[in-house]
């Protein structure tokens, strides 16, 4: 055995025994003698991964891939880095390479299915999960994710069937399964379902989150049978659990808003070159009708839809870590602004074969980042969707969010979040007068033709008839509103909270006071 082989063998043995510092020393001895040794470079990369040294790990894996791009351990390392960065398109690339090399490894197909849903490639996701079923890949989440796919495609019955299968396969995750059924909106719980849900509330073996999800589902089941008192009780119990499990960091959020209230427009905006594409940012509170507005505009031939993109939030975090978000934002040079803009458009255009003239970014939280948006894209279109605070507050209070929106699990949190939303939007309206279009959800539902035309005019889009029959579109919708946007406007969405008024009178009165303030602020 050569000295290199001896060092590598020693490094691998030490790595297996989790002695990472000594393993790194022996792997480096190999690289010193042969800087293109793929095995040693890959091992160094995995050592850095174990120690969460991601930049160093990426350098090692990239060096190894430059020598041989078809080594499993190298591709797995690069995939892990892409996952850490939440770079779903890059993850997709590495997974396809792994499948090409090892076509029968089920976890690659499963991961590719998950990544495909993240980038809106529902055909690929469905293909991957169906492959998992056909090859007996024993992971109940396959059924759960197939349910999500058919929900996004508007195939309620197929989605419900897979959710039911998931419930049978994952008895400790029944809350996840039943909430998924409840979130289909068109699904009606049977008497048997209701009885089972009631029994599950007594099952102490369930995790706290599953207990909460059972109560959220029960709220929907009781609503369907007009037992509003019991629906309200279930809703309150669900949120009581979640408020402990995922508390709202209100002081931190207040601090972010307060700092942004000091933002002033960048002096470099007027000297920026015009962007080749126009982003359309749809913002507002979740459950306010943002998905509906997206569906309408996405029907236009010049518009490409993406997802609830995280990129503005990531840029904000990057600036915050480099000296403070608000202060860094005000100091960006023309070159830095152009670099951020190019990065944003490069990420967005991953979603398209041909770059559309207009691209939609429907992340409701971007209302916080309008200062950043207008710095990078002075001509960006921003549509703020405003729904009556009472209906909106009850809607988010009844909704389980898989991540984020921790304020939604208490009325105090919802009230606080709404107040901060109003404060920051008033600031943006002062800085950018007449540049943000405020759309009243209730008016959109009652007068769709005039309001849709108003949005098209604001975006400087030609009038196209399919925008007015948006509910006929077959595009996949990845939010809880998937079923609603496949139907014509329905006034039943207005005043949905009224039935809860007798049971939470004080809470609704507080929301109503905010509703009056919001109506005056946005619509006079």
């Amino acid at each position: 055995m050569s000295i290199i082989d001896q060092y590598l063998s020693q490094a691998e043995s030490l790595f297996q025994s989790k002695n990472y510092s000594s393993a790194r020393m022996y792997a480096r001895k190999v690289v010193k003698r042969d800087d293109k040794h793929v095995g040693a470079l890959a091992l160094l990369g995995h050592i850095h991964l174990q120690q969460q040294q991601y930049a160093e790990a990426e350098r090692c894996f990239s060096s190894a891939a430059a020598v041989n791009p078809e080594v499993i351990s190298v591709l797995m390392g690069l995939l892990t880095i892409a996952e850490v960065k939440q770079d779903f398109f890059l993850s997709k690339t590495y997974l396809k390479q792994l499948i090409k090399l090892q076509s029968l490894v089920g976890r690659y197909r499963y991961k590719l299915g998950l990544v495909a849903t993240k980038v809106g490639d529902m055909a690929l996701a469905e293909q991957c999960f169906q492959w998992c079923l056909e090859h007996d890949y024993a992971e109940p989440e396959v059924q759960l994710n197939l349910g999500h796919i058919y929900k996004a495609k508007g195939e309620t019955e197929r989605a419900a069937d897979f959710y039911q299968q998931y419930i049978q396969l994952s008895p400790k995750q029944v809350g996840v399964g039943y909430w998924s059924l409840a979130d289909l909106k068109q699904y009606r719980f049977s008497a048997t379902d209701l009885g089972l849900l009631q029994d599950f509330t007594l099952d102490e073996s369930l995790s706290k989150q599953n207990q909460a999800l059972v109560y959220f589902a029960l709220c929907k089941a009781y609503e369907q049978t007009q037992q509003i008192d019991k629906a309200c009780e279930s809703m309150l119990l669900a949120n009581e659990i979640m408020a402990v499990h995922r508390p709202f960091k209100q002081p931190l959020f207040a601090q972010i808003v307060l700092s942004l209230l000091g933002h002033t427009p960048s002096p470099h905006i007027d000297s920026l070159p015009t962007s080749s594409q126009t982003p359309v940012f749809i913002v507002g509170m979740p459950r306010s009708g943002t998905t509906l507005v997206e569906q309408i505009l996405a029907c236009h031939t010049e518009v490409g839809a993406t997802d609830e993109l995280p990129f503005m939030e990531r840029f904000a975090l990057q600036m915050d870590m480099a000296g403070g978000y608000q202060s860094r934002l005000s100091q960006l040079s023309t070159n830095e602004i152009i670099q951020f803009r190019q990065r944003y458009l490069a990420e967005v255009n991953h979603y398209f074969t041909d770059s559309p003239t207009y691209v939609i970014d429907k992340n409701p939280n971007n209302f916080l980042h309008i200062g950043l948006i207008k710095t990078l894209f002075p001509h960006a279109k921003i549509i703020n969707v405003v729904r009556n605070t009472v209906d909106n507050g009850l809607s988010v209070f009844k909704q389980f969010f898989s991540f984020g929106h921790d304020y939604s699990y208490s009325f105090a949190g919802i009230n606080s979040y709404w107040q901060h939303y109003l404060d920051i939007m008033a600031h943006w309206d002062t800085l950018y007068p007449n540049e943000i279009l405020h759309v009243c959800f209730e008016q959109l539902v009652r007068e769709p033709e005039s309001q849709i035309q108003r949005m098209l005019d604001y975006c400087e889009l030609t009038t196209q008839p399919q925008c007015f029959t948006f509910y006929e579109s077959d595009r996949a919708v990845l939010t809880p509103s998937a079923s609603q946007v496949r139907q014509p406007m329905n006034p039943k969405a207005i005043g949905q909270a009224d039935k809860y008024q007798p049971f939470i009178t004080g809470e609704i009165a507080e929301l109503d006071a905010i509703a009056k303030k919001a109506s005056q602020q946005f619509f006079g």
Side-chain angles (χ1 to χ4, degrees):
M1 185 182 290
S2 70
I3 190 69
I4 283 182
D5 289 339
Q6 290 178 45
Y7 285 151
L8 186 60
S9 177
Q10 189 72 12
E12 288 170 343
S13 177
L14 289 163
F15 180 78
Q16 292 300 323
S17 61
K18 299 184 179 180
N19 187 344
Y20 300 126
S21 58
S22 296
R24 183 170 58 244
M25 180 182 71
Y26 277 98
R28 281 177 175 167
K29 286 184 177 185
V30 176
V31 174
K32 276 187 179 180
R33 286 166 172 78
D34 179 1
D35 63 0
K36 291 183 170 54
H37 196 292
V38 173
L41 288 168
L43 184 57
L44 273 174
H46 285 288
I47 291 167
H48 286 307
L49 278 184
Q50 290 297 324
Q51 298 177 321
Q52 297 185 331
Q53 298 165 339
Y54 299 118
E56 294 91 337
E58 186 170 15
R59 278 194 290 271
C60 291
F61 292 128
S62 296
S63 297
V67 179
N68 187 345
E70 295 192 342
V71 176
I72 298 297
S73 63
V74 173
L75 288 170
M76 287 296 292
L78 289 168
L79 173 63
T80 302
I81 298 292
E83 289 172 338
V84 167
K85 290 181 175 180
Q86 292 189 309
D87 188 331
F88 302 121
F89 289 98
L90 201 52
S91 297
K92 182 179 172 183
T93 298
Y94 292 135
L95 283 163
K96 284 187 170 182
Q97 289 177 261
L98 285 163
I99 289 168
K100 185 179 177 182
L101 295 170
Q102 294 184 321
S103 61
L104 295 179
V105 177
R107 74 177 182 277
Y108 297 157
R109 302 272 182 170
Y110 176 66
K111 280 193 168 191
L112 182 57
L114 293 177
V115 165
T117 62
K118 293 289 187 183
V119 300
D121 191 343
M122 290 305 174
L124 177 61
E126 182 180 2
Q127 181 187 72
C128 288
F129 292 131
Q130 287 290 358
W131 184 96
C132 289
L133 284 186
E134 291 162 10
H135 291 78
D136 299 320
Y137 181 67
E139 179 60 70
E141 271 67 24
V142 169
Q143 279 80 358
L144 180 66
N145 281 287
L146 277 167
H148 294 340
I149 287 168
Y150 292 121
K151 172 190 170 186
K153 293 171 68 174
E155 298 180 33
T156 300
E157 288 186 14
R158 292 187 76 181
D161 182 52
F162 277 109
Y163 289 147
Q164 294 282 13
Q165 290 180 43
Y166 174 74
I167 290 167
Q168 296 301 315
L169 292 168
S170 296
K172 293 302 176 188
Q173 298 292 322
V174 290
V176 174
Y178 277 107
W179 168 248
S180 297
L181 286 170
D183 209 30
L184 278 173
K185 309 304 177 189
Q186 300 304 309
Y187 180 80
R188 293 200 63 83
F189 286 105
S190 66
T192 302
D193 287 331
L194 182 57
L196 288 169
L197 282 167
Q198 290 167 335
D199 291 342
F200 285 129
T201 63
L202 306 174
D203 188 345
E204 295 181 359
S205 70
L206 294 180
S207 68
K208 288 295 182 185
Q209 183 164 298
N210 267 274
Q211 289 174 9
L213 289 171
V214 166
Y215 280 119
F216 276 124
L218 256 179
C219 173
K220 179 68 179 292
Y222 283 133
E223 262 195 357
Q224 290 176 349
T225 55
Q226 302 303 310
Q227 298 180 73
I228 305 303
D229 55 338
K230 292 182 179 179
C232 190
E233 181 185 7
S234 299
M235 173 182 73
L236 292 168
L237 287 168
N239 283 284
E240 185 180 318
I241 295 169
M242 289 305 303
V244 174
H245 188 64
R246 279 170 45 186
F248 175 40
K249 298 179 178 65
Q250 194 276 338
L252 178 61
F253 184 71
Q255 183 181 345
I256 293 169
V257 172
L258 187 61
S259 70
L260 289 171
L261 290 175
H263 175 70
T264 54
S266 168
H268 304 294
I269 287 176
D270 293 335
S271 62
L272 288 172
T274 304
S275 170
S276 59
Q277 292 172 282
T278 301
V280 180
F281 293 88
I282 303 173
V283 305
M285 296 292 287
R287 315 292 299 137
S288 65
T290 53
T291 303
L292 174 61
V293 170
E294 176 194 41
Q295 181 83 340
I296 290 165
L297 294 178
C299 291
H300 198 284
T301 55
E302 291 184 60
V303 178
T306 56
D307 196 358
E308 297 188 359
L309 301 178
F311 305 123
M312 288 297 164
E313 292 171 337
R314 289 183 188 173
F315 293 165
L317 180 60
Q318 182 180 333
M319 282 185 264
D320 194 51
M321 294 171 69
Y325 177 27
Q326 189 275 323
S327 58
R328 284 289 298 124
L329 177 57
S330 298
Q331 297 166 9
L332 289 178
S333 66
T334 302
N335 189 47
E336 287 173 317
I337 292 170
I338 291 172
Q339 286 181 354
F340 273 122
R341 176 194 284 185
Q342 289 172 342
R343 281 174 55 192
Y344 178 83
L345 290 177
E347 293 285 2
V348 166
N349 283 311
H350 280 308
Y351 286 82
F352 310 110
T353 305
D354 299 311
S355 301
T357 306
Y358 292 79
V359 292
I360 296 177
D361 182 336
K362 193 203 78 70
N363 185 337
N365 295 336
N366 277 334
F367 72 79
L368 276 174
H369 306 299
I370 288 174
L372 172 58
I373 289 167
K374 296 297 284 184
T375 299
L376 303 189
F377 299 98
H379 303 295
K381 302 299 182 181
I382 300 171
I383 299 177
N384 174 44
V385 189
V386 185
R387 186 181 180 191
N388 176 274
T389 312
V390 180
D391 279 345
N392 178 256
L394 261 290
S395 185
V396 297
F397 196 63
K398 292 190 293 180
Q399 182 76 30
F400 170 76
F401 295 95
S402 56
F403 61 91
H405 305 295
D406 294 343
Y407 63 86
S408 69
Y409 301 119
S410 75
F411 283 110
I414 293 168
N415 292 342
S416 172
Y417 198 84
W418 254 94
Q419 294 283 6
H420 289 309
Y421 159 66
L422 293 179
D423 290 344
I424 195 65
M425 288 306 299
H427 180 61
W428 300 139
D429 272 327
T430 301
L431 289 187
Y432 309 104
N434 304 314
E435 294 185 41
I436 302 168
L437 182 71
H438 302 297
V439 173
C440 173
F441 171 77
E442 289 75 23
Q443 197 171 358
L444 176 59
V445 169
R446 291 184 175 120
E447 305 166 23
E449 289 200 8
S450 64
Q451 291 301 305
I452 290 172
Q453 188 62 57
R454 179 171 170 254
M455 290 191 290
L456 293 174
D457 291 344
Y458 165 76
C459 292
E460 300 178 87
L461 288 164
T462 57
T463 302
Q464 294 185 351
Q466 66 271 22
C467 294
F468 298 86
T469 54
F470 59 89
Y471 44 86
E472 295 176 356
S473 171
D474 60 359
R475 65 179 285 267
V477 178
L478 305 178
T479 71
S481 306
S483 59
Q484 288 99 317
V485 299
R486 289 199 168 82
Q487 302 168 29
M489 302 287 191
N490 189 346
K492 287 183 180 178
I494 300 170
Q496 287 188 343
D498 293 350
K499 55 184 173 286
Y500 284 94
Q501 204 275 340
F503 308 102
I504 45 173
T505 307
E507 290 85 348
I508 284 185
E510 288 181 358
L511 290 171
D512 190 51
I514 299 172
K516 290 181 172 65
K517 180 180 176 182
S519 179
Q520 180 63 34
Q521 176 174 320
F522 293 122
F523 308 110

